[in-house]
Amino acid sequence: MTVENDRSEKFAGYAHPERLVSGEWLEAHLGEPGLVVVESDEDVLLYETGHIPGAVKIDWHTDLNDPVLRDYIEGPAFAELVGGKGISRDSTVVIYGDKNNWWAAYALWVFTLFGHEDVRLLDGGRDLWIAEGRPITTERTTPDAVDYPVVERHDDEIRAFKDDVLAHLGHPLIDVRSPEEYSGERTTAPAYPEEGALRAGHIPSAANVPWAKAAAEDGTFRPVAQLDAIYREGAGLAEGEPVIAYCRIGERSSHTWFVLKHLLGFEDVRNYDGSWTEWGSTVRVPIVKGSEPGEVPAR
Amino acid sequence: MTETTLPESLAGIRDDFLALGQRERLEMLLEFSNELPELPERYQEHPDLFERVEECQSPVFIFVEVSDEGIVHLFATAPREAPTTRGFASILVQGIDGLSVDEVLAIPDDFPNTIGLTEAVSPLRIRGMTALLGRTKRQVRARVTAKD
């Protein structure tokens, strides 16, 4: 059972307005059958300090990542996880979180890998909800477990692996990290732990559009005209061309993936979750340093 | 000095965590988080003195004081929106404050990995606490050198 869409005017310009809900909409629909609210944060304890009444918590690291393989959990584990949170295959899932919905977008992307149809983000995330004075509670949510089918994860459409990126070179790439990470000037001071990649720089030809550019001051997504200016005019993305986004481990680029796929309506958008921690440590893959995108190497 | 010894204060905290189940460990970390003391007045106006721990995803700042008697005082500040990082800082503040320089420098660098939080919090996040401890020890060394 799905819950009606938020028909706010603000969302009407987006390619898929049904992927967003406002705080006003969510507060009005809390407790409605078929709706499950999920909080997903960078900080594993933030939910415990207070959350939207009835919301359940899904942690990107301890819940969604496989504890052994560098991969996401498989169908059986996903079914157990979300079924235990009271989510059915036909539930409307609204995800929100800290840091402009950074981790919420990551969770949404993982739900999409499993083909969960109706999954939306709360525009503005946790901070705006609190800033607007909407209800927060520390009361533990105790959902009744439901049956969620074991579905196979489908990586092909929205997930890119390293070899996919190599084959993709020549088509648009978006590097959503900070300018310092992109140029490769970010250094690791003596005695500080390593950042997790052996080389610095970016994938040749990638345009640098830091992920948070898509968010306004209050954490909501920018209106479609501004997003067009950033991604179409600024980064040169055009209709019909496949695009891959990446960052350090694929979380910030999930946010950009959401913007490109659901708000701007690009058809073929993939997230390279191996991202820089894989590319920057892989032997003999091409790398460009400096603030210019650089050329695609001849093959 | 290469010998490492875990001070009683930190050993007690470790034992308390290890006695609990995974979910309760998170709850105790939240209690630590809530207990992180406010900065003393003399430091509230001096954010410049504090060193940012870059390895933590959330902004956390630390400052170490070493008294003439060689006693270490650790001060830390992190936003309420970063309870995990606050919890890490609070564990170290409670466990380290009042120890001698030698005792602090002898704390095993892998202490954060031994308190039973890697599963509940994830190894990646524990790295932030390892960095906090590493920078604390470095500041202690720097203060001692400055006094010599």
Side-chain angles (χ1 to χ4, degrees):
Chain A
M1 175 169 40
T2 53
V3 179
E4 62 153 351
N5 294 332
D6 182 349
R7 305 196 187 282
S8 303
E9 207 172 308
K10 193 223 154 186
F11 303 151
Y14 297 132
H16 298 286
E18 73 278 9
R19 292 293 176 177
L20 286 175
V21 303
S22 62
E24 192 185 352
W25 182 95
L26 186 57
E27 192 172 349
H29 286 79
L30 281 182
E32 204 162 294
L35 173 71
V36 181
V37 183
V38 173
E39 177 161 340
S40 217
D41 298 315
E42 174 179 290
D43 194 299
V44 68
L45 272 179
L46 194 52
Y47 169 90
E48 276 79 3
T49 68
H51 53 81
I52 295 178
V56 295
K57 162 181 158 180
I58 291 185
D59 184 68
W60 68 277
H61 205 284
T62 58
D63 289 327
L64 297 177
N65 282 358
D66 186 281
V68 179
L69 279 189
R70 182 172 176 187
D71 200 357
Y72 300 99
I73 52 175
E74 301 276 357
F78 184 77
E80 194 188 328
L81 169 73
V82 302
K85 306 283 181 190
I87 298 171
S88 311
R89 189 65 173 163
D90 61 355
S91 294
T92 294
V93 176
V94 171
I95 312 182
Y96 73 101
D98 59 354
K99 314 241 162 137
N100 303 348
N101 277 329
W102 169 349
W103 304 91
Y106 187 67
L108 179 142
W109 180 76
V110 175
F111 269 76
T112 309
L113 288 175
F114 289 98
H116 191 95
E117 196 144 327
D118 190 359
V119 54
R120 318 177 188 178
L121 288 183
L122 168 64
D123 199 26
R126 179 186 166 93
D127 288 350
L128 185 60
W129 178 273
I130 292 171
E132 288 174 341
R134 300 189 191 279
I136 284 286
T137 180
T138 52
E139 199 175 313
R140 188 178 288 182
T141 306
T142 47
D144 292 325
V146 295
D147 273 331
Y148 194 92
V150 173
V151 285
E152 204 183 325
R153 209 181 62 221
H154 279 288
D155 292 337
D156 302 355
E157 265 180 49
I158 62 166
R159 186 179 184 196
F161 295 94
K162 185 190 89 238
D163 289 344
D164 299 325
V165 177
L166 279 168
H168 176 88
L169 286 179
H171 297 290
L173 279 161
I174 304 283
D175 182 324
V176 313
R177 297 172 302 158
S178 63
E180 294 77 21
E181 290 168 280
Y182 177 83
S183 67
E185 70 195 64
R186 192 196 165 103
T187 49
T188 306
Y192 291 176
E194 251 301 328
E195 284 288 314
L198 295 171
R199 290 288 187 270
H202 57 267
I203 301 176
S205 80
N208 185 206
V209 186
W211 70 281
K213 277 196 177 178
E217 294 283 301
D218 62 359
T220 57
F221 289 102
R222 291 190 183 282
V224 72
Q226 291 179 22
L227 294 177
D228 274 337
I230 295 168
Y231 293 99
R232 291 185 208 269
E233 287 144 49
L237 296 186
E239 231 59 62
E241 251 196 312
V243 54
I244 293 177
Y246 72 94
C247 58
R248 208 176 67 85
I249 54 170
E251 12 68 86
R252 285 173 283 183
S253 46
S254 300
H255 189 272
T256 298
W257 174 86
F258 182 86
V259 171
L260 297 179
K261 182 84 180 174
H262 291 317
L263 304 187
L264 291 179
F266 287 100
E267 280 297 315
D268 185 356
V269 189
R270 282 177 291 170
N271 179 25
Y272 169 38
D273 60 278
S275 275
W276 196 256
T277 53
E278 179 180 46
W279 195 272
S281 294
T282 300
V283 177
R284 292 182 82 177
V285 295
I287 289 175
V288 170
K289 290 197 83 148
S291 55
E292 293 301 318
E295 299 294 323
V296 173
R299 273 178 247 191
Chain B
M1 184 171 53
T2 51
E3 227 169 280
T4 59
T5 318
L6 190 62
E8 264 176 48
S9 51
L10 288 172
I13 293 173
R14 178 198 59 196
D15 295 345
D16 287 348
F17 271 113
L18 292 178
L20 300 171
Q22 295 295 339
R23 180 192 271 273
E24 288 72 27
R25 289 180 197 180
L26 268 188
E27 283 168 8
M28 190 161 107
L29 184 60
L30 186 59
E31 282 168 29
F32 270 102
S33 176
N34 291 332
E35 288 165 10
L36 181 67
E38 292 288 322
L39 293 182
E41 216 163 289
R42 65 184 184 281
Y43 288 135
Q44 282 180 7
E45 305 291 311
H46 286 284
D48 49 301
L49 288 173
F50 281 70
E51 176 186 17
R52 170 150 190 189
V53 181
E54 301 281 352
E55 296 86 348
C56 289
Q57 289 160 321
S58 307
V60 50
F61 299 85
I62 58 160
F63 183 72
V64 167
E65 225 179 50
V66 176
S67 73
D68 291 338
E69 295 76 37
I71 299 299
V72 175
H73 295 290
L74 173 61
F75 304 95
T77 174
R80 294 243 160 229
E81 297 71 42
T84 302
T85 305
R86 278 178 67 90
F88 291 163
S90 178
I91 288 170
L92 292 180
V93 166
Q94 292 191 31
I96 285 178
D97 199 75
L99 296 180
S100 72
V101 165
D102 286 345
E103 284 172 323
V104 173
L105 294 180
I107 298 170
D109 291 333
D110 69 347
F111 167 73
N113 293 311
T114 64
I115 57 176
L117 283 176
T118 39
E119 194 180 320
V121 169
S122 92
L124 196 73
R125 289 173 171 130
I126 284 288
R127 273 196 223 160
M129 188 172 179
T130 309
L132 266 170
L133 176 60
R135 286 184 185 241
T136 300
K137 289 168 84 168
R138 241 168 20 140
Q139 281 202 21
V140 168
R141 282 192 202 98
R143 301 284 181 274
V144 171
T145 312
K147 278 181 198 289
D148 286 344

